Protein backbone atom coordinates (compact mmCIF):
# COMPACT_ATOMS: atom_id res chain seq x y z
CA UNK A 1 0.00 0.00 0.00
CA UNK A 2 1.41 3.40 -0.98
CA UNK A 3 2.15 5.79 1.89
CA UNK A 4 0.81 9.33 1.52
CA UNK A 5 3.33 12.09 1.03
CA UNK A 6 4.55 13.62 4.27
CA UNK A 7 3.10 17.08 4.94
CA UNK A 8 5.59 19.95 5.19
CA UNK A 9 4.81 23.24 6.97
CA UNK A 10 4.37 26.33 4.87
CA UNK A 11 7.29 28.73 4.82
CA UNK A 12 6.88 32.35 5.82
CA UNK A 13 8.17 34.98 3.44
CA UNK A 14 10.19 37.84 4.99
CA UNK A 15 7.25 40.20 4.50
CA UNK A 16 4.98 37.74 6.30
CA UNK A 17 7.46 37.47 9.19
CA UNK A 18 7.50 41.26 9.59
CA UNK A 19 3.69 41.47 9.36
CA UNK A 20 3.14 38.72 11.92
CA UNK A 21 5.83 40.15 14.21
CA UNK A 22 4.31 43.63 14.03
CA UNK A 23 0.82 42.35 14.91
CA UNK A 24 1.69 42.28 18.62
CA UNK A 25 2.89 45.90 18.49
CA UNK A 26 -0.24 47.11 16.70
CA UNK A 27 -2.59 45.43 19.17
CA UNK A 28 -0.80 46.91 22.22
CA UNK A 29 0.47 50.32 21.03
CA UNK A 30 0.74 52.01 24.44
CA UNK A 31 2.84 49.21 25.93
CA UNK A 32 4.99 49.04 22.81
CA UNK A 33 5.57 52.81 22.87
CA UNK A 34 6.62 52.83 26.52
CA UNK A 35 9.01 49.91 26.01
CA UNK A 36 10.49 51.52 22.91
CA UNK A 37 10.89 54.75 24.88
CA UNK A 38 13.29 53.03 27.29
CA UNK A 39 15.54 52.02 24.40
CA UNK A 40 15.14 55.45 22.76
CA UNK A 41 16.35 57.25 25.89
CA UNK A 42 19.50 55.13 26.08
CA UNK A 43 20.24 55.52 22.35
CA UNK A 44 19.52 59.27 22.44
CA UNK A 45 21.86 59.69 25.40
CA UNK A 46 24.67 57.88 23.59
CA UNK A 47 24.20 59.75 20.29
CA UNK A 48 23.84 63.14 22.01
CA UNK A 49 26.94 62.63 24.16
CA UNK A 50 29.05 61.65 21.16
CA UNK A 51 27.52 64.38 18.99
CA UNK A 52 27.98 67.19 21.52
CA UNK A 53 31.53 66.07 22.26
CA UNK A 54 32.35 65.90 18.54
CA UNK A 55 30.78 69.31 17.97
CA UNK A 56 32.82 70.77 20.82
CA UNK A 57 36.01 69.28 19.41
CA UNK A 58 35.15 70.59 15.95
CA UNK A 59 34.70 74.08 17.41
CA UNK A 60 38.00 73.78 19.27
CA UNK A 61 39.76 72.65 16.10
CA UNK A 62 38.17 75.54 14.22
CA UNK A 63 39.40 78.01 16.82
CA UNK A 64 42.87 76.51 16.84
CA UNK A 65 42.96 76.69 13.05
CA UNK A 66 41.93 80.35 13.21
CA UNK A 67 44.22 81.29 16.08
CA UNK A 68 47.09 79.03 15.09
CA UNK A 69 49.09 76.62 17.22
CA UNK A 70 52.40 78.32 16.46
CA UNK A 71 52.22 80.83 19.32
CA UNK A 72 54.96 80.55 21.96
CA UNK A 73 55.49 82.60 25.11
CA UNK A 74 58.69 83.43 26.96
CA UNK A 75 58.57 84.53 30.59
CA UNK A 76 61.07 84.83 33.45
CA UNK A 77 61.32 81.89 35.83
CA UNK A 78 63.26 81.71 39.06
CA UNK A 79 66.93 81.96 39.94
CA UNK A 80 68.87 79.21 41.69
CA UNK A 81 68.12 80.97 44.99
CA UNK A 82 64.39 80.80 44.33
CA UNK A 83 64.01 84.49 43.58
CA UNK A 84 62.02 85.80 40.61
CA UNK A 85 64.22 86.26 37.57
CA UNK A 86 63.98 89.03 34.99
CA UNK A 87 64.26 89.06 31.22
CA UNK A 88 66.90 91.40 29.77
CA UNK A 89 65.78 94.39 27.71
CA UNK A 90 67.30 92.72 24.65
CA UNK A 91 65.12 89.61 24.91
CA UNK A 92 62.45 90.81 22.47
CA UNK A 93 64.78 91.98 19.66
CA UNK A 94 67.00 88.93 20.07
CA UNK A 95 64.01 86.60 19.70
CA UNK A 96 62.90 88.55 16.64
CA UNK A 97 66.23 87.68 14.96
CA UNK A 98 65.47 83.94 14.97
CA UNK A 99 64.90 83.09 11.32
CA UNK A 100 61.59 81.12 11.57
CA UNK A 101 60.00 83.75 13.87
CA UNK A 102 57.39 85.72 11.93
CA UNK A 103 56.03 88.05 14.66
CA UNK A 104 57.08 89.08 18.16
CA UNK A 105 55.59 91.36 20.81
CA UNK A 106 56.22 91.92 24.49
CA UNK A 107 54.31 93.06 27.55
CA UNK A 108 55.77 94.32 30.79
CA UNK A 109 54.00 94.42 34.11
CA UNK A 110 53.93 97.80 35.83
CA UNK A 111 54.10 96.71 39.45
CA UNK A 112 53.68 100.13 41.03
CA UNK A 113 50.47 101.08 39.18
CA UNK A 114 46.94 100.24 40.29
CA UNK A 115 43.72 100.83 38.36
CA UNK A 116 40.58 102.55 39.68
CA UNK A 117 37.53 103.93 37.95
CA UNK A 118 37.63 107.05 40.12
CA UNK A 119 39.64 108.41 43.02
CA UNK A 120 36.67 107.59 45.29
CA UNK A 121 37.41 103.87 45.16
CA UNK A 122 39.21 102.49 48.25
CA UNK A 123 42.86 101.66 47.51
CA UNK A 124 42.37 97.99 48.52
CA UNK A 125 39.70 97.38 45.88
CA UNK A 126 41.86 96.75 42.81
CA UNK A 127 39.48 94.21 41.18
CA UNK A 128 42.48 91.99 40.53
CA UNK A 129 43.48 94.06 37.48
CA UNK A 130 47.06 94.56 36.33
CA UNK A 131 48.68 97.27 34.24
CA UNK A 132 50.77 96.07 31.33
CA UNK A 133 53.01 98.04 29.00
CA UNK A 134 52.37 96.66 25.53
CA UNK A 135 54.04 96.78 22.16
CA UNK A 136 51.97 97.91 19.20
CA UNK A 137 52.31 94.52 17.48
CA UNK A 138 50.65 92.66 20.36
CA UNK A 139 47.16 92.10 18.80
CA UNK A 140 48.49 90.63 15.56
CA UNK A 141 50.88 88.38 17.47
CA UNK A 142 48.44 86.89 19.99
CA UNK A 143 45.38 86.97 17.72
CA UNK A 144 43.51 89.67 19.67
CA UNK A 145 40.59 91.56 18.16
CA UNK A 146 39.12 94.89 19.23
CA UNK A 147 35.48 94.71 20.31
CA UNK A 148 34.96 98.46 20.68
CA UNK A 149 37.10 101.49 20.01
CA UNK A 150 40.61 101.05 18.65
CA UNK A 151 44.04 99.67 19.52
CA UNK A 152 47.03 101.80 20.45
CA UNK A 153 49.02 103.44 17.68
CA UNK A 154 52.32 105.24 17.40
CA UNK A 155 50.75 108.46 18.71
CA UNK A 156 48.56 107.18 21.56
CA UNK A 157 51.34 104.88 22.80
CA UNK A 158 53.24 107.99 23.96
CA UNK A 159 50.27 109.55 25.73
CA UNK A 160 47.97 108.44 28.59
CA UNK A 161 45.70 106.13 26.60
CA UNK A 162 44.64 102.63 27.61
CA UNK A 163 43.02 99.56 26.08
CA UNK A 164 41.09 97.18 28.34
CA UNK A 165 40.98 93.41 28.23
CA UNK A 166 37.53 91.80 28.16
CA UNK A 167 37.51 90.90 31.86
CA UNK A 168 38.95 94.26 32.89
CA UNK A 169 36.25 96.10 30.95
CA UNK A 170 33.51 94.02 32.60
CA UNK A 171 34.88 94.64 36.09
CA UNK A 172 35.19 98.35 35.49
CA UNK A 173 31.75 98.59 33.91
CA UNK A 174 32.99 99.88 30.56
CA UNK A 175 31.35 98.47 27.45
CA UNK A 176 31.84 101.09 24.75
CA UNK A 177 34.51 103.69 25.49
CA UNK A 178 34.06 107.31 24.50
CA UNK A 179 36.48 110.26 24.53
CA UNK A 180 35.20 111.04 28.03
CA UNK A 181 35.85 107.54 29.43
CA UNK A 182 38.87 107.64 31.71
CA UNK A 183 40.59 105.65 34.44
CA UNK A 184 42.93 106.44 37.26
CA UNK A 185 46.10 104.45 36.53
CA UNK A 186 48.61 105.02 39.29
CA UNK A 187 48.36 108.75 39.87
CA UNK A 188 47.59 109.70 36.25
CA UNK A 189 44.36 109.87 34.28
CA UNK A 190 44.25 107.60 31.22
CA UNK A 191 41.65 107.80 28.48
CA UNK A 192 40.14 104.45 27.48
CA UNK A 193 40.41 104.14 23.69
CA UNK A 194 39.45 100.50 23.17
CA UNK A 195 38.13 97.21 24.57
CA UNK A 196 39.39 93.81 23.41
CA UNK A 197 37.51 90.57 22.86
CA UNK A 198 38.52 87.55 25.01
CA UNK A 199 41.87 86.11 23.89
CA UNK A 200 41.80 82.28 24.10
CA UNK A 201 45.56 81.80 23.68
CA UNK A 202 46.53 84.61 26.06
CA UNK A 203 43.83 84.76 28.77
CA UNK A 204 46.21 86.62 31.11
CA UNK A 205 45.60 89.71 28.95
CA UNK A 206 41.84 89.64 29.57
CA UNK A 207 42.23 91.08 33.08
CA UNK A 208 44.80 93.70 32.05
CA UNK A 209 44.84 97.41 31.35
CA UNK A 210 47.20 97.83 28.40
CA UNK A 211 49.13 101.08 27.91
CA UNK A 212 51.88 102.14 25.54
CA UNK A 213 55.46 101.17 26.32
CA UNK A 214 56.76 104.76 26.23
CA UNK A 215 54.08 106.27 28.46
CA UNK A 216 54.50 103.41 30.95
CA UNK A 217 58.17 104.37 31.32
CA UNK A 218 57.64 108.12 31.55
CA UNK A 219 54.40 108.32 33.55
CA UNK A 220 54.16 105.08 35.55
CA UNK A 221 57.75 104.32 36.50
CA UNK A 222 58.01 101.17 34.38
CA UNK A 223 61.54 99.70 34.42
CA UNK A 224 61.43 98.60 30.77
CA UNK A 225 61.98 94.87 31.41
CA UNK A 226 59.52 92.63 29.52
CA UNK A 227 57.67 90.10 31.64
CA UNK A 228 56.19 88.12 28.74
CA UNK A 229 57.34 87.86 25.14
CA UNK A 230 54.87 86.45 22.61
CA UNK A 231 56.06 85.15 19.27
CA UNK A 232 54.76 83.41 16.17
CA UNK A 233 56.89 81.14 14.04
CA UNK A 234 56.49 78.86 11.06
CA UNK A 235 54.36 75.80 11.85
CA UNK A 236 57.05 73.34 10.80
CA UNK A 237 59.66 75.00 13.02
CA UNK A 238 57.74 75.34 16.31
CA UNK A 239 59.70 72.71 18.23
CA UNK A 240 63.05 73.86 16.81
CA UNK A 241 62.35 77.46 17.83
CA UNK A 242 61.09 76.35 21.23
CA UNK A 243 64.39 74.57 21.85
CA UNK A 244 66.51 77.71 21.37
CA UNK A 245 64.24 80.34 22.91
CA UNK A 246 65.62 80.20 26.45
CA UNK A 247 69.23 80.61 25.35
CA UNK A 248 68.27 83.37 22.92
CA UNK A 249 66.18 85.37 25.37
CA UNK A 250 68.76 85.27 28.17
CA UNK A 251 72.13 83.87 27.01
CA UNK A 252 73.74 84.38 30.40
CA UNK A 253 71.11 82.43 32.35
CA UNK A 254 68.90 80.30 30.07
CA UNK A 255 67.80 78.19 33.03
CA UNK A 256 65.84 81.13 34.42
CA UNK A 257 63.63 81.40 31.32
CA UNK A 258 60.25 79.64 31.05
CA UNK A 259 58.96 78.77 27.58
CA UNK A 260 55.38 77.60 27.01
CA UNK A 261 52.95 76.89 24.19
CA UNK A 262 49.44 78.18 25.04
CA UNK A 263 47.70 75.86 22.57
CA UNK A 264 48.85 72.91 24.70
CA UNK A 265 46.36 74.06 27.34
CA UNK A 266 43.53 73.81 24.83
CA UNK A 267 44.71 70.34 23.81
CA UNK A 268 44.70 69.30 27.47
CA UNK A 269 41.18 70.70 27.81
CA UNK A 270 40.12 68.52 24.88
CA UNK A 271 41.63 65.45 26.59
CA UNK A 272 39.60 66.24 29.71
CA UNK A 273 36.50 66.57 27.53
CA UNK A 274 37.16 63.14 26.01
CA UNK A 275 37.40 61.62 29.50
CA UNK A 276 34.07 63.18 30.45
CA UNK A 277 32.58 61.86 27.22
CA UNK A 278 33.66 58.33 28.15
CA UNK A 279 31.92 58.72 31.53
CA UNK A 280 28.71 59.98 29.95
CA UNK A 281 28.79 57.17 27.39
CA UNK A 282 28.90 54.73 30.29
CA UNK A 283 25.78 56.32 31.73
CA UNK A 284 24.15 56.07 28.29
CA UNK A 285 24.97 52.36 28.17
CA UNK A 286 23.33 51.89 31.58
CA UNK A 287 20.21 53.64 30.29
CA UNK A 288 20.28 51.42 27.20
CA UNK A 289 20.58 48.32 29.39
CA UNK A 290 17.57 49.43 31.41
CA UNK A 291 15.66 49.89 28.15
CA UNK A 292 16.62 46.37 27.07
CA UNK A 293 15.33 44.97 30.34
CA UNK A 294 12.05 46.80 29.67
CA UNK A 295 11.80 45.20 26.22
CA UNK A 296 12.48 41.74 27.68
CA UNK A 297 9.84 42.29 30.34
CA UNK A 298 7.32 43.38 27.73
CA UNK A 299 8.00 40.31 25.59
CA UNK A 300 7.72 37.89 28.53
CA UNK A 301 4.36 39.39 29.49
CA UNK A 302 3.30 39.25 25.84
CA UNK A 303 4.06 35.53 25.72
CA UNK A 304 2.02 34.91 28.87
CA UNK A 305 -0.93 36.94 27.61
CA UNK A 306 -0.94 35.40 24.14
CA UNK A 307 -0.75 31.71 25.00
CA UNK A 308 -4.11 31.14 23.35
CA UNK A 309 -2.86 32.74 20.15
CA UNK A 310 0.31 30.63 20.28
CA UNK A 311 -1.72 27.43 20.80
CA UNK A 312 -4.05 28.28 17.93
CA UNK A 313 -1.16 28.94 15.57
CA UNK A 314 0.51 25.71 16.57
CA UNK A 315 -2.76 23.81 16.06
CA UNK A 316 -3.07 25.31 12.59
CA UNK A 317 0.37 24.03 11.65
CA UNK A 318 2.87 26.67 12.71
CA UNK A 319 6.19 25.14 13.71
CA UNK A 320 8.16 25.97 16.80
CA UNK A 321 10.68 27.77 14.65
CA UNK A 322 7.99 29.98 13.15
CA UNK A 323 6.61 30.86 16.59
CA UNK A 324 10.11 31.56 17.81
CA UNK A 325 10.80 33.74 14.76
CA UNK A 326 7.54 35.64 15.28
CA UNK A 327 8.36 36.74 18.82
CA UNK A 328 12.01 37.39 18.03
CA UNK A 329 10.94 39.61 15.13
CA UNK A 330 8.50 41.42 17.38
CA UNK A 331 11.30 42.13 19.86
CA UNK A 332 13.61 43.35 17.09
CA UNK A 333 10.90 45.64 15.70
CA UNK A 334 10.22 47.03 19.16
CA UNK A 335 13.91 47.77 19.73
CA UNK A 336 14.33 49.15 16.20
CA UNK A 337 11.45 51.53 16.83
CA UNK A 338 13.15 52.78 19.98
CA UNK A 339 16.54 52.90 18.26
CA UNK A 340 15.32 54.97 15.33
CA UNK A 341 13.52 57.36 17.66
CA UNK A 342 16.60 57.57 19.89
CA UNK A 343 18.90 58.39 16.97
CA UNK A 344 16.58 61.15 15.77
CA UNK A 345 16.24 62.52 19.29
CA UNK A 346 20.02 62.41 19.85
CA UNK A 347 20.69 64.20 16.55
CA UNK A 348 18.06 66.82 17.41
CA UNK A 349 19.58 67.42 20.86
CA UNK A 350 23.06 67.73 19.35
CA UNK A 351 21.88 70.16 16.68
CA UNK A 352 19.97 72.24 19.23
CA UNK A 353 22.83 72.46 21.71
CA UNK A 354 25.43 73.12 19.01
CA UNK A 355 23.23 75.86 17.55
CA UNK A 356 22.79 77.44 20.99
CA UNK A 357 26.58 77.45 21.49
CA UNK A 358 27.23 78.59 17.89
CA UNK A 359 29.23 75.41 17.22
CA UNK A 360 29.26 73.33 14.07
CA UNK A 361 26.86 70.41 14.51
CA UNK A 362 28.74 67.13 14.09
CA UNK A 363 27.31 63.64 14.64
CA UNK A 364 29.82 60.96 13.57
CA UNK A 365 28.50 58.25 11.26
CA UNK A 366 29.95 55.58 13.52
CA UNK A 367 27.82 56.90 16.39
CA UNK A 368 24.52 56.50 14.53
CA UNK A 369 25.59 53.18 12.99
CA UNK A 370 26.76 51.93 16.38
CA UNK A 371 23.50 53.04 17.98
CA UNK A 372 21.44 51.12 15.45
CA UNK A 373 23.69 48.07 15.88
CA UNK A 374 23.20 48.35 19.63
CA UNK A 375 19.42 48.29 19.17
CA UNK A 376 19.68 45.08 17.13
CA UNK A 377 21.76 43.45 19.85
CA UNK A 378 19.40 44.69 22.56
CA UNK A 379 16.37 43.46 20.62
CA UNK A 380 17.90 40.07 19.93
CA UNK A 381 19.07 39.55 23.51
CA UNK A 382 15.83 40.82 25.03
CA UNK A 383 13.58 38.74 22.78
CA UNK A 384 15.55 35.49 22.73
CA UNK A 385 14.26 33.99 25.97
CA UNK A 386 10.59 34.96 25.44
CA UNK A 387 10.76 33.62 21.87
CA UNK A 388 12.22 30.30 23.01
CA UNK A 389 9.65 30.07 25.79
CA UNK A 390 6.80 30.70 23.37
CA UNK A 391 8.12 28.07 20.96
CA UNK A 392 8.26 25.42 23.69
CA UNK A 393 4.54 25.67 24.43
CA UNK A 394 2.62 22.70 23.06
CA UNK A 395 -0.73 23.38 21.34
CA UNK A 396 -2.77 21.59 24.05
CA UNK A 397 -0.92 23.37 26.87
CA UNK A 398 -1.35 26.77 25.25
CA UNK A 399 -5.04 26.28 24.40
CA UNK A 400 -5.89 24.98 27.85
CA UNK A 401 -4.32 28.01 29.59
CA UNK A 402 -6.84 30.35 31.27
Amino acid sequence: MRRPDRLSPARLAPADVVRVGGAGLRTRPARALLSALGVAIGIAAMVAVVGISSSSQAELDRRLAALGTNLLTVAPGQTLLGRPATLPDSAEPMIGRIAPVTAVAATGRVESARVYRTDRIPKAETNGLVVLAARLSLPSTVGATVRAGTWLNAATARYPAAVLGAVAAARLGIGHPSPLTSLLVGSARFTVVGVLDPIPLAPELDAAVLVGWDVAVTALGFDGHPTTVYLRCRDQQVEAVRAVLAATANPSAPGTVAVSRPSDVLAARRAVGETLTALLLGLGCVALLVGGVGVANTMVISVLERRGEIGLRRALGATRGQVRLQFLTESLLLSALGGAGGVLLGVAVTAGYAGYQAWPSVVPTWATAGALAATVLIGGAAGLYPAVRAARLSPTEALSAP
Side-chain angles (χ1 to χ4, degrees), residues 275-323:
T275 301
L276 181 60
T277 298
L279 174 61
L280 295 177
L281 276 177
L283 296 178
C285 290
V286 172
L288 187 58
L289 179 61
V290 172
V293 172
V295 172
N297 181 56
T298 298
M299 296 308 301
V300 169
I301 295 176
S302 180
V303 169
L304 295 177
E305 290 181 342
R306 296 160 63 187
R307 299 176 92 181
E309 174 192 337
I310 296 170
L312 181 60
R313 290 199 65 217
R314 290 296 310 278
L316 293 175
T319 65
R320 289 187 175 183
Q322 290 173 343
V323 173

Side-chain angles (χ1 to χ4, degrees), residues 22-390:
L25 303 183
R26 293 192 299 270
T27 55
R28 298 169 179 82
R31 181 185 298 172
L33 182 61
L34 291 176
S35 299
L37 184 62
V39 177
I41 291 174
I43 292 295
M46 296 178 66
V47 173
V49 165
V50 175
I52 291 174
S53 176
S54 299
S55 300
S56 174
Q57 292 181 20
E59 172 66 11
L60 182 57
D61 291 339
R62 186 186 67 81
R63 288 190 179 184
L64 285 176
L67 297 172
T69 58
N70 59 347
L71 177 67
L72 297 172
T73 62
V74 176
Q78 291 184 335
T79 65
L80 295 177
L81 299 178
R83 298 174 182 173
T86 58
L87 290 176
D89 297 345
S90 60
E92 183 184 0
M94 289 293 290
I95 291 173
R97 293 191 182 100
I98 301 175
V101 172
T102 57
V104 62
T107 60
R109 182 163 181 168
V110 184
E111 297 288 351
S112 59
R114 297 290 181 269
V115 181
Y116 304 95
R117 186 66 191 268
T118 69
D119 55 5
R120 303 290 183 177
I121 305 297
K123 297 298 182 183
E125 297 181 9
T126 63
N127 273 325
L129 304 180
V130 297
V131 180
L132 297 178
R135 297 295 189 186
L136 299 182
S137 57
L138 182 64
S140 60
T141 303
V142 301
T145 55
V146 179
R147 186 178 67 198
T150 186
W151 175 246
L152 301 170
N153 55 43
T156 55
R158 298 196 303 268
Y159 295 96
V163 175
L164 306 180
V167 174
R171 292 178 183 175
L172 293 170
I174 298 175
H176 297 277
S178 69
L180 300 179
T181 306
S182 64
L183 298 172
L184 187 63
V185 181
S187 58
R189 279 282 174 185
F190 276 66
T191 301
V192 179
V193 298
V195 176
L196 300 178
D197 287 313
I199 308 173
L201 293 183
E204 65 275 5
L205 299 178
D206 292 340
V209 176
L210 303 162
V211 300
W213 202 276
D214 295 335
V215 74
V217 173
T218 58
L220 301 178
F222 176 49
D223 60 8
H225 289 285
T227 52
T228 305
V229 179
Y230 302 91
L231 66 129
R232 296 273 184 178
C233 62
R234 298 190 185 96
D235 293 335
Q236 301 85 352
Q237 302 292 327
V238 171
E239 294 304 325
V241 172
R242 190 175 186 176
V244 301
L245 274 179
T248 304
N250 193 350
S252 61
T256 62
V257 178
V259 179
S260 63
R261 188 175 181 182
S263 57
D264 290 342
V265 177
L266 298 182
R269 187 185 304 171
R270 177 165 52 188
V272 173
E274 290 173 352
T275 301
L276 181 60
T277 298
L279 174 61
L280 295 177
L281 276 177
L283 296 178
C285 290
V286 172
L288 187 58
L289 179 61
V290 172
V293 172
V295 172
N297 181 56
T298 298
M299 296 308 301
V300 169
I301 295 176
S302 180
V303 169
L304 295 177
E305 290 181 342
R306 296 160 63 187
R307 299 176 92 181
E309 174 192 337
I310 296 170
L312 181 60
R313 290 199 65 217
R314 290 296 310 278
L316 293 175
T319 65
R320 289 187 175 183
Q322 290 173 343
V323 173
R324 184 166 54 245
L325 183 60
Q326 172 191 348
F327 282 89
L328 187 59
T329 301
E330 184 175 330
S331 177
L332 290 173
L333 289 175
L334 186 60
S335 296
L337 178 64
V343 169
L344 294 177
L345 180 60
V347 171
V349 170
T350 300
Y353 187 80
Y356 174 75
Q357 296 288 349
W359 295 347
S361 180
V362 178
V363 179
T365 304
W366 65 263
T368 55
L372 294 176
T375 59
V376 172
L377 293 176
I378 288 293
L384 186 60
Y385 170 72
V388 172
R389 181 171 179 175

